[in-house]
Each structure stands twice: as structure tokens, then as C-alpha cells.
Amino acid sequence: MKSNIFKIFIFSAAILFVAASLSAKSSPVDKIETAYAENRISLGEKIIYKVMTVHAPERLPEEFRLEPDVKLKSATEIMIEARLNLERLSGPEQEILNNYLGRPNMVFSALSPDGYFRIHYNIEGAHAVDSSDVDPFNGIPDYVDCVAHYSDSSYRCMHGNLAYLYPPSDGSEGGDSLYDIYLMEMPYYGYTQPESPGPEAWDDWISYMVVHRNFIDFPPNDDPEGLEKGAAKVTCAHEYFHATQMAYNLLSEVWYMEVSSCWMEEICYPQVNDNYNYLWCFFDYPQLPLNDSSYYHDYGAFVWNRFLDHNFDTTLIKSIWENLIYNDDVYTAINTALLGYGSNLYDAFGEFAAWNWCTSIYDDGNHYEQGWDYPETVDLIGTISFYPVSNMHPPSAMRPHGLGANYIKFAEFGDVIGEFLIHFDGQDGYHWSANVILAEPDNNYTFMEIPLNEAYAGSLIVSEIENYDYIILNPVVRSWYGEGLDYVYSAQLLPWPDYAADVRDAGPYDIYSMGPRTVNFWVYNRGSNQDIYHMTISDEMGWDCQLHDTLFTIPVKDSVMVAADILSGPDLLPGTVNNIILTATSHKDSVAFGVDSLPMYIVRFNGDSNNDGTINVSDAVWIINFTFVGGEPPRPELYQGDANCDDNINVSDAVFIINFVFVGGQPPPCLAY
């Protein structure tokens, strides 16, 4: 626990580092988008300025410049936007942009050990890598060797282990047909540059990768080999998965490209955890839609893919990308893939929202594999500690969007023994669910859901509230659409009275005509004090009903099983029903009682031909008399004489009974009990 607390402290510092990079003061991309939305710059200027944040940040207009030492994640989204909009720009704008989109000029290159990649680099100038060549001593800078090794490892992970498509070949660009990676100085971890359409009938694209030249002063991670190597590892995995995505569909929604690439970091290099730096961007804003891409929300949303691969299978993510080959809509692709696993996007997202409570200090060991290690928990919109509360609405700024959620905590139940009532009513016109998470000590959770009607309103009573430290109400918008949706919730403590009882039947429910049977009832003390309960039993048909015991002392929140012997009446046809009624009355408060009825159904007693409640030789004699000398038929109905269960009444039934009674033969094979 101490090490995890220390890690949370370290990542809290990292979060402040990343948050500073994302603040309005130092986020040039957001400021450029704002200027474009306000018509202060043209489309061409917007795209050029964004690309300049990668290649020439020092040449940006003053209002768009980065703060010193700001490090940003992936510039792939910027480069995709630039390439896809290139033809829409003016001639001079295209010329400027082409200077940035072309392949970097590097003096040296090296092959990766497995021969899948060519790594391009310089050892002098602004983009120079550290030229140290120690381990291995092979004439290639060690950092280049590392990038080559990490790229090969990512290749094996994605294609060898997971069988994703290969990025389309660039022919001889970069010197040969190998996939090209360039090492550069920039304020980003890296990016994948789409160059031109690929050979397939769908929207696949040829690409190359650019990776930072040293990763000095980048956000922290957990890699045991050091921060720089950890950042290089996950960047190779992240950007190469972008290259792999471009083998499926460059036009798929960029938010899911980032979700998937951050997830792939976890698959290829689970020990690094660089993506933990962005979890706060998702967990601090659970009300935002799953596909939101502002403030690195899509980077923190890698937990969505993590949920899918944990709860279903890693192959589900590949199925989603296969669905995207001919369909640009990510939600449709996800839903189609989930249908193949017996689920759908509505239900899966509702469960995902509940999972997200179980991280960091709230981890229970049953959800995210490394959830205990996550430095973040989801934000609450509030904690309720006084009851009742009625007709509460979420703050307008925190109302959930489509595929968004809220979390409300109910706590401070005091010494109350009893129940807790929660009511929820979601805004009309949208699909809702309302998860309820019951938290016992040591992060032991019970997950429930408020049953909602067609108007998405409903209530839930939580029993034995004294067992729980707190309760989380988790409203979830399961619709794929909608912004800032409202709902109403109420909550009320329902303390138990001083003295009360609850009776529940426990079966059995079948009995033979003239048959004995022992039945059972559970009796619960639903009062807040220990009590003595007096039992009485009755029925609706005048059968003989005898309790084993009539007085029971039951502690608070405890129960006892009460047994009674029943003897049914004669000549009762199968299907006849009699209700056995048990009443438990408090010894200390006679108006406090509980009652329940147990329905008993008459079933056929094959072989008991004379309906005396037993099978013996007299039943064989009865059948012989009926068969040969015109005696009375079996009672209470003909087929009660069918001892061998062959649907006929004849001498073989008499023989069957004699064998059963005198020589240890089998009992009638179709008896109910």
C-alpha cells in the first residue's frame, strides 16, 4: 500500500506537469482551433499553424506559441488533418505545408534487428541523437539501437501475436521497402504521417513514423530501464499502431485511433504506464462523451479498450478495426463487434461506467487488471450525507452527454439499521441506466441496477444499509447522442422499527393426496432489537398442520427456519392447491408480525391405488380387483394405479408393487418425490 501511495504521489506531480501542458495558457492547438472558430484565421492558416507546433513552434505567431518545456503526446491527428485537407488549400498554402509534410532529410540510417524497419537519424544539428555507442558497440548510436529494438518488438506484438494487418508498403521511399522511422527534435512524443492512398479498395494509406530524438524531460513513467527508454518504447508502439490503423481506414474517427494506440501501449509494454499520465483527462470528466477528444480525453479513454479486452477478449478490438474497413462510424463498428460477443454498445458502456469506480484506492481486484495501480479515481459530482434528499439535479456543467456518466456518493448512515430508498428519473428521449454500487469495508462491492420503466424512471430499495460504508449512484447515458442531459434523483433512509418480522416460504411445494410432508418457512427479525416470536400455522382446506416449535428467539438481522408437518386430505385430484399460512408475531409488540403463504400442489402418487397415503400390498390387491373382478378404479383418479408408469392400468402394475414391497424392487419411476 505504501508503494502505491508513493506512486500516486509521483503521478500526481506528473498530472500537474501534463495539466500545465493542457492549460489554456499553453495549449497552442486549442488556441488555434478557437481562433478559427471565431473566424480570426482561415482554414489554411489553422492547418499550417497546427503543423508548425510540430516543426517550427518558434515561428508561430505569439498568441499560439508553446510555453517552454511543454511536451505533447502524439501529433498524428494534426498530420492526418493536414494531409486530408491539403488539396482544399490555396497554392501558396499548399507549398508551405508540403515543406513540412515531406519526409525529413537524415544523413544516417540503420536496419532494425529483425529487418522490419529502417531508422533514419542525424548525429549533428538540431535533430541529432546522442552518438554514444556502447551497448552494443556496433557503429550505431545506442538510442537508435533502442528504437529499432522497440519497433521490432511492437511489430511482433501487433502482427505476430494479434494478427493485425500490415501497413501498406511505401515501395522504395526512404531507400527501400522497409517501414521508415525518423528521429527528430519536437515538442511531441511522435507522430505518424499519412503520405498517399494504399493499394486496397478501402481507405488504407501509406505512412511513415517520426519519433522524438531523446525524450529528455518528458513526463515520468514506470519503466525500470528509465524514463527516456520507457517513453521511446510506448511511442514506438503508439505510433506504429497508428500506421497499422491506416492499413484499415485513415478516415475512421481520430478519437478512437488515439484510444486504440494508447491501449496498444499497454498491450506491448505493460510495465511502462506512460498512459497513466492522461487518465485524469478521462476520470476527471466522466460526463463527457466517450468520443470527446478535447484535453487528451481520448488518451485517458484507453481504459474503454482495456475494459473491452478484459471483459470480453483482446480480439474484440481487432474486430472493431476490421468493421472500420468499410464503415467510418466508430460507434457502429464497436456495436457490431460487441454483438458478436453477445453484448452491445448500450449494455457494455453501462457496465464500463460501473467498472470505472473500481480503480486506485477503490480497486477491488475484480475489474481492471492493474486498476490498483491507476493513480486516478473518477470524479464525484457530490457527496450526500443528510437525508432525505428530494428532486436533486446534477450541476449544469456536469450533466452527462451521450455515452457519459456521473457518480454521486451517499454516505454517513450513522447507526441506522434498515433500508435505503433511491429514486432516479432520466431526461426523456434518451436511453439511461442507473448503476448502484454498494461498498462494504475493504472495497467489497455489490453491483445493482435500478429497474427503469419505459420513461427511464424507477426506484430501488437497498436492504441492510448498516452493512455498507457508502453507496454510489452512477447515472449513465447509454444513448450515443445528447449533450448536457438532466435527471432527477432522491434518496431516503428507512430505519427499521423497534420490532418487526418478515416471513418467506422455503418449500417444498408438492404433496400427495393423503400424503405427509414437512414444509419450511424462513422467519427474519426485521426490527432493531432482539425479539421472541410466536408462530401459528393454518391452511385453507382444513389439513392437519403441526409446527415443530412455536417460540423462537431471533437476534437482530438474524433468521430461523420454522418447520411444520402437513397431512393432506383424501381424494384430492392432481393440480389441487392449498395455501399453508405461517404467521410470526412479536412477543414484545403484538401488532408487529409477518405472514406468508406457501402454495402446496397435489401431485399424482403412482402406485397408491387406494389413496391411503402409502404403497403396500393392499394397493396390488386393489388393482387386481379392478382389473379382474370389476372392483373400484384407483383413487382419486385412474392413473394413480399406474405403478410402473407405462400409462396403462393392468396386472403388471400389481406385480410391480409386489416386487417393490416384498423383494426390494424399484419404486414407481415417475414419483414426484
Side-chain angles (χ1 to χ4, degrees):
M1 177 61 75
K2 287 183 179 179
S3 63
N4 194 38
I5 292 173
F6 177 73
K7 180 171 289 186
I8 291 172
F9 173 79
I10 293 297
F11 267 98
S12 295
I15 286 166
L16 293 176
F17 180 94
V18 176
S21 298
L22 300 178
S23 68
K25 182 178 179 182
S26 58
S27 178
V29 173
D30 289 323
K31 294 168 82 171
I32 292 167
E33 282 288 354
T34 299
Y36 176 68
E38 295 173 351
N39 294 317
R40 292 190 285 113
I41 59 175
S42 67
L43 173 65
E45 289 172 317
K46 180 189 83 162
I47 292 172
I48 290 170
Y49 289 158
K50 281 187 177 182
V51 172
M52 287 174 65
T53 67
V54 182
H55 290 286
E58 73 285 351
R59 296 175 57 190
L60 282 165
E62 186 69 31
E63 65 173 308
F64 302 138
R65 288 189 183 175
L66 285 76
E67 293 293 308
D69 299 323
V70 165
K71 307 299 181 186
L72 303 173
K73 188 65 172 170
S74 173
T76 296
E77 179 177 357
I78 293 172
M79 297 309 184
I80 291 175
E81 180 185 28
R83 182 61 187 86
L84 293 181
N85 285 280
L86 183 62
E87 284 72 23
R88 297 178 59 191
L89 306 186
S90 68
E93 289 172 334
Q94 289 188 35
E95 185 177 353
I96 294 171
L97 204 54
N98 278 324
N99 289 332
Y100 293 128
L101 298 185
R103 292 186 177 228
N105 292 317
M106 298 291 172
V107 176
F108 301 98
S109 69
L111 295 179
S112 65
D114 292 346
Y116 300 131
F117 298 90
R118 181 170 292 279
I119 316 300
H120 302 263
Y121 63 97
N122 284 342
I123 57 174
E124 293 181 346
H127 301 298
V129 300
D130 185 341
S131 60
S132 300
D133 177 20
V134 177
D135 185 16
F137 179 68
N138 59 357
I140 299 171
D142 290 342
Y143 180 74
V144 176
D145 282 326
C146 287
V147 171
H149 173 72
Y150 305 152
S151 300
D152 278 344
S153 178
S154 299
Y155 182 102
R156 292 191 299 271
C157 173
M158 295 176 208
H159 304 310
N161 298 343
L162 301 177
Y164 280 89
L165 294 178
Y166 298 94
S169 172
D170 64 1
S172 60
E173 292 290 336
D176 51 33
S177 61
L178 301 182
Y179 193 88
D180 294 298
I181 299 176
Y182 298 84
L183 307 182
M184 287 179 52
E185 173 62 32
M186 55 186 161
Y188 290 83
Y189 281 69
Y191 65 87
T192 304
Q193 176 67 63
E195 279 194 298
S196 58
E200 303 295 346
W202 56 85
D203 290 311
D204 65 324
W205 275 64
I206 296 165
S207 64
Y208 64 85
M209 278 168 53
V210 178
V211 173
H212 197 276
R213 68 186 179 98
N214 58 27
F215 290 103
I216 293 173
D217 294 330
F218 271 66
N221 58 64
D222 287 342
D223 194 278
E225 294 189 86
L227 304 183
E228 289 81 11
K229 288 186 176 181
K233 289 174 185 176
V234 296
T235 302
C236 290
H238 186 112
E239 297 303 338
Y240 187 63
F241 198 48
H242 278 324
T244 300
Q245 294 160 8
M246 293 178 193
Y248 290 87
N249 188 350
L250 178 69
L251 304 183
S252 60
E253 298 167 45
V254 175
W255 73 270
Y256 192 65
M257 297 177 76
E258 294 300 349
V259 165
S260 297
S261 280
C262 283
W263 166 79
M264 187 58 78
E265 296 177 21
E266 194 92 342
I267 299 301
C268 294
Y269 291 104
Q271 77 279 15
V272 177
N273 300 329
D274 183 88
N275 48 11
Y276 288 8
N277 289 308
Y278 306 93
L279 276 172
W280 71 273
C281 305
F282 183 80
F283 283 151
D284 279 11
Y285 305 97
Q287 73 273 17
L288 294 180
L290 182 62
N291 64 357
D292 186 86
S293 58
S294 62
Y295 294 99
Y296 285 168
H297 184 271
D298 45 353
Y299 288 78
F302 79 86
V303 291
W304 166 246
N305 271 13
R306 207 69 179 121
F307 162 78
L308 293 178
D309 83 55
H310 281 9
N311 203 35
F312 299 98
D313 191 79
T314 305
T315 57
L316 174 61
I317 314 303
K318 180 166 168 280
S319 296
I320 294 170
W321 279 100
E322 289 170 344
N323 293 338
L324 283 167
I325 286 179
Y326 291 112
N327 187 344
D328 299 341
D329 186 81
V330 172
Y331 283 166
T332 299
I334 294 173
N335 190 59
T336 301
L338 282 166
L339 290 173
Y341 287 79
S343 185
N344 57 68
L345 182 52
Y346 289 117
D347 294 340
F349 187 81
E351 187 175 359
F352 168 66
W355 273 47
N356 288 338
W357 179 255
C358 307
T359 64
S360 190
I361 59 173
Y362 300 123
D363 177 67
D364 63 349
N366 297 320
H367 294 88
Y368 294 111
E369 183 180 355
Q370 293 180 290
W372 61 272
D373 204 25
Y374 289 1
E376 281 290 309
T377 60
V378 290
D379 259 19
L380 295 165
I381 68 168
T383 298
I384 307 296
S385 56
F386 297 96
Y387 307 96
V389 291
S390 300
N391 299 320
M392 300 288 288
H393 294 261
S396 57
M398 301 185 74
R399 291 177 180 174
H401 302 255
L403 294 187
N406 281 161
Y407 298 83
I408 304 151
K409 187 175 186 179
F410 300 111
E412 304 296 335
F413 304 130
D415 297 326
V416 171
I417 296 175
E419 299 172 327
F420 191 72
L421 171 65
I422 307 173
H423 178 77
F424 174 84
D425 187 357
Q427 182 173 327
D428 292 343
Y430 301 90
H431 298 284
W432 294 83
S433 62
N435 297 321
V436 174
I437 305 170
L438 311 179
E440 297 181 60
D442 300 320
N443 292 348
N444 291 310
Y445 300 119
T446 299
F447 294 87
M448 305 180 73
E449 191 171 325
I450 298 177
L452 303 179
N453 59 25
E454 292 182 356
Y456 293 99
S459 299
L460 178 72
I461 293 179
V462 178
S463 299
E464 300 183 340
I465 188 64
E466 64 277 7
N467 290 342
Y468 304 110
D469 289 346
Y470 60 86
I471 294 174
I472 299 296
L473 173 61
N474 173 212
V476 182
V477 183
R478 301 198 303 172
S479 295
W480 306 358
Y481 52 89
E483 296 183 4
L485 304 181
D486 196 12
Y487 57 86
V488 179
Y489 66 95
S490 303
Q492 182 179 359
L493 277 170
L494 303 174
W496 281 355
D498 290 340
Y499 304 102
D502 186 20
V503 180
R504 304 288 175 88
D505 74 80
Y509 303 97
D510 50 5
I511 191 169
Y512 299 134
S513 176
M514 284 299 292
R517 197 79 155 124
T518 299
V519 299
N520 300 287
F521 293 83
W522 282 107
V523 178
Y524 300 85
N525 182 347
R526 296 302 192 197
S528 56
N529 296 283
Q530 179 171 295
D531 201 356
I532 299 172
Y533 293 91
H534 177 68
M535 309 297 165
T536 57
I537 195 164
S538 61
D539 77 309
E540 297 175 343
M541 298 182 68
W543 293 358
D544 184 17
C545 304
Q546 300 294 328
L547 287 163
H548 290 191
D549 294 288
T550 59
L551 288 177
F552 293 86
T553 299
I554 309 178
V556 177
K557 295 174 55 181
D558 208 346
S559 61
V560 297
M561 180 168 280
V562 177
D565 292 330
I566 309 298
L567 180 63
S568 67
D571 297 322
L572 297 173
L573 293 173
T576 302
V577 182
N578 186 20
N579 286 305
I580 311 300
I581 303 162
L582 182 76
T583 302
T585 304
S586 166
H587 179 70
K588 296 183 179 180
D589 184 352
S590 60
V591 299
F593 65 90
V595 62
D596 195 21
S597 61
L598 186 155
M600 298 209 75
Y601 297 83
I602 296 296
V603 294
R604 180 183 296 151
F605 191 6
N606 292 68
D608 181 19
S609 306
N610 59 5
N611 191 213
D612 65 356
T614 61
I615 299 176
N616 52 39
V617 69
S618 64
D619 296 299
V621 172
W622 191 285
I623 291 173
I624 291 170
N625 285 335
F626 168 67
T627 303
F628 293 107
V629 297
E632 288 186 50
R635 297 166 48 197
E637 47 101 24
L638 180 64
Y639 283 96
Q640 187 133 328
D642 183 17
N644 62 4
C645 303
D646 67 354
D647 294 329
N648 293 295
I649 313 299
N650 51 41
V651 70
S652 64
D653 295 299
V655 173
F656 189 95
I657 291 171
I658 290 170
N659 284 333
F660 169 59
V661 173
F662 292 108
V663 297
Q666 294 296 315
C670 51
L671 292 179
Y673 60 89

